[in-house]
Amino acid sequence: MIMRVLWMGVILLVSILWVSCDKKEALSEVVERGLNVSRQQAMFLAKELENQEGKLPRTYENNELKTVSYKSWVSGFFSGVLWYLYENDSTEELKKYAELYTSRVESAKNMTSTHDLGFMLYCSFGNGYRLTHDSTYLTVLKMGSKSLSTRFDSKIGAINSWGTRGKWQYPVIIDNMMNLEMLSFVAKETGEKSYLDMINAHAQTTLKQHFRPDNSCYHVVSYDTITGLPHAKNTHQGYADESAWSRGQAWALYGYTMMYRETGRPEYLEQACKIARFIKSHPNLPTDKVPYWDFDAPDIPNTFRDASAAAVMASALIELSQLDKSVDASAWFDLAEMQIRSLSSPDYLAKPGANGGFILKHSVGNLNKNSEVDVPLSYADYYYVEALLRLKKIQNEK
Ligand code: GLY
């Protein structure tokens, strides 16, 4: 009798496991579903702004589409989304829109007043050049890199991010790591070695000054222009100077993973793994792995998630899982998979035709300024689509 009950228990357990395994959507299906929704949304948005010259999508707030010109740091993300979708599905319509929205960013190449040229030009023209080899795109990337390089100071060993804003001498924000990829690409394409020296100096200075003992990072480090040493460590978009602003941690993770890919320097891989460990083991990372806007926000769990931080983290973790040859690699992949599954659920992924044509819901731009809170953002969409394609490539290579 006892044996019979035990056997029935085992059979019941196996059946429950079977059904629950069976129910889980295969990752390849999640990827295809995500790409399908992304394509529908991007086409919707592309058509919406097609005849509004110079306009590029930023967010959708209070039922209104908000746009920017080429001058904004987010100007290049939408064409980047279109290029990724074209890479996945080479239709003439996607190419036409990718070219159109890329062309709207071109004037940014001459801007020397911003450090964001990597975001603006590499996501747009960089992806365009990678997929089409159009030499005019390379010319824009070269010009943009020249403009960006004017912001480097060899005494400090970093590219300047912002003006003084009344309190800083030479502010460098963690986000600036993301702008190094364009310089690396152009250096390799043209042999301009000074750009490689510049990005290594910036990455080394940031590694030394931006990180805390727990491997989280400050948002802003400002350097004294006479001594070349930090005189202030602050936040701008995070909860507090000493808190871990989630997107900042994401930029750091992505930046050092990318720098290891570009240079092969082991200290960058080591730093990326340390950041990944900080994120993965943080007690305030929710079970769906989409972080709150700041890991130290005082009102957790009653505060906003930042889907953009999750998308940037997921894309970086997928790459890190391929570059890191240690036993940790599968943990990076698993965390990214959980983030992508969450972002691809109805909690975050828009219904086709809704969300103003943006792909993901629930990001936070700058909560301190009550700006872009709990809204879609073009960079959340960009890094989500990039992550989906990175997953698809890995699956295709298996
Ligand atoms: N680079 C600005 C931001 O992450 O909001």
Side-chain angles (χ1 to χ4, degrees):
M1 180 63 184
I2 293 175
M3 282 305 282
R4 229 179 114 178
V5 172
L6 268 177
W7 265 117
M8 280 172 72
V10 170
I11 290 167
L12 188 67
L13 194 67
V14 169
S15 318
I16 289 169
L17 282 175
W18 180 265
V19 170
S20 57
C21 288
D22 207 33
K23 267 194 180 157
K24 195 169 178 185
E25 189 181 15
L27 186 56
S28 56
E29 285 168 23
V30 174
V31 168
E32 286 309 321
R33 187 169 52 75
L35 285 170
N36 190 19
V37 172
S38 300
R39 188 181 190 287
Q40 291 182 64
Q41 292 299 84
M43 290 305 292
F44 177 95
L45 203 43
K47 288 183 178 148
E48 190 80 4
L49 290 177
E50 185 170 5
N51 299 316
Q52 299 190 40
E53 216 181 308
K55 292 203 170 162
L56 295 147
R58 174 169 76 86
T59 186
Y60 185 69
E61 237 171 354
N62 304 321
N63 297 322
E64 206 187 312
L65 177 59
K66 303 270 172 74
T67 61
V68 288
S69 76
Y70 72 87
K71 290 181 185 161
S72 163
W73 80 276
V74 306
S75 59
F77 292 117
F78 183 54
S79 49
V81 166
L82 291 163
W83 282 121
Y84 276 137
L85 293 171
Y86 170 69
E87 181 176 9
N88 182 54
D89 176 16
S90 310
T91 65
E92 277 312 305
E93 195 177 33
L94 273 169
K95 190 174 187 212
K96 175 188 91 175
Y97 284 125
E99 286 170 345
L100 172 71
Y101 287 98
T102 296
S103 70
R104 288 188 187 176
V105 190
E106 181 171 348
S107 302
K109 69 186 178 193
N110 297 315
M111 289 175 74
T112 53
S113 55
T114 175
H115 72 135
D116 282 322
L117 292 174
F119 281 121
M120 296 148 85
L121 297 171
Y122 199 59
C123 299
S124 52
F125 284 87
N127 278 309
Y129 182 66
R130 184 171 63 80
L131 296 170
T132 64
H133 301 290
D134 180 337
S135 62
T136 62
Y137 284 10
L138 181 60
T139 308
V140 172
L141 292 167
K142 284 192 211 166
M143 192 59 225
S145 296
K146 202 169 166 207
S147 300
L148 178 57
S149 70
T150 63
R151 300 180 66 83
F152 181 76
D153 182 304
S154 56
K155 180 166 190 184
I156 289 162
I159 295 168
N160 178 235
S161 294
W162 293 333
T164 63
R165 300 189 183 192
K167 56 179 170 177
W168 295 314
Q169 292 184 34
Y170 193 97
V172 177
I173 63 171
I174 192 64
D175 325 26
N176 205 342
M177 286 296 300
M178 301 295 286
N179 293 310
L180 308 183
E181 191 170 0
M182 176 173 74
L183 291 174
S184 178
F185 171 78
V186 169
K188 289 175 184 171
E189 198 74 16
T190 63
E192 179 60 69
K193 188 180 166 295
S194 69
Y195 291 167
L196 290 180
D197 296 340
M198 227 173 254
I199 64 170
N200 274 307
H202 186 101
Q204 294 288 349
T205 304
T206 302
L207 202 157
K208 198 165 157 202
Q209 306 294 3
H210 257 82
F211 291 91
R212 308 183 181 104
D214 68 357
N215 299 310
S216 67
C217 66
Y218 289 95
H219 185 192
V220 189
V221 173
S222 179
Y223 296 87
D224 183 307
T225 50
I226 296 174
T227 64
L229 295 171
H231 73 89
K233 299 195 177 188
N234 300 120
T235 196
H236 178 64
Q237 279 153 269
Y239 164 64
D241 288 346
E242 291 300 328
S243 74
W245 173 51
S246 296
R247 198 164 52 255
Q249 314 313 302
W251 295 141
L253 174 67
Y254 193 113
Y256 280 97
T257 304
M258 173 277 292
M259 280 300 287
Y260 177 64
R261 180 225 304 146
E262 291 300 304
T263 67
R265 291 196 181 193
E267 64 269 36
Y268 299 152
L269 176 63
E270 204 180 303
Q271 191 62 29
C273 291
K274 285 180 181 171
I275 303 163
R277 243 169 254 131
F278 170 84
I279 293 169
K280 185 176 175 290
S281 60
H282 201 288
N284 286 342
L285 184 66
T287 47
D288 72 357
K289 310 300 177 193
V290 177
Y292 295 97
W293 68 281
D294 191 304
F295 281 95
D296 301 301
D299 37 2
I300 287 174
N302 302 312
T303 191
F304 303 99
R305 303 298 189 90
D306 183 7
S308 78
V312 175
M313 285 173 189
S315 187
L317 287 165
I318 294 162
E319 176 158 60
L320 186 60
S321 76
Q322 306 302 293
L323 296 174
D324 182 7
K325 302 299 171 200
S326 81
V327 288
D328 292 333
S330 61
W332 311 144
F333 188 89
D334 292 348
L335 177 54
E337 178 175 344
M338 284 189 260
Q339 290 176 318
I340 288 301
R341 282 186 182 278
S342 298
L343 294 177
S344 306
S345 76
D347 287 345
Y348 296 95
L349 189 64
K351 280 203 187 98
N355 207 32
F358 288 84
I359 302 164
L360 294 180
K361 305 179 274 185
H362 305 308
S363 289
V364 173
N366 188 347
L367 191 124
N368 296 337
K369 292 221 159 111
N370 199 21
S371 162
E372 302 174 330
V373 179
D374 199 22
V375 293
L377 289 168
S378 57
Y379 42 99
D381 290 2
Y382 177 86
Y383 291 101
Y384 172 69
V385 174
E386 180 180 85
L388 293 178
L389 282 194
R390 285 181 172 183
L391 283 175
K392 190 164 174 170
K393 252 177 216 155
I394 293 171
Q395 284 168 339
N396 288 345
E397 278 159 15
K398 272 186 189 164

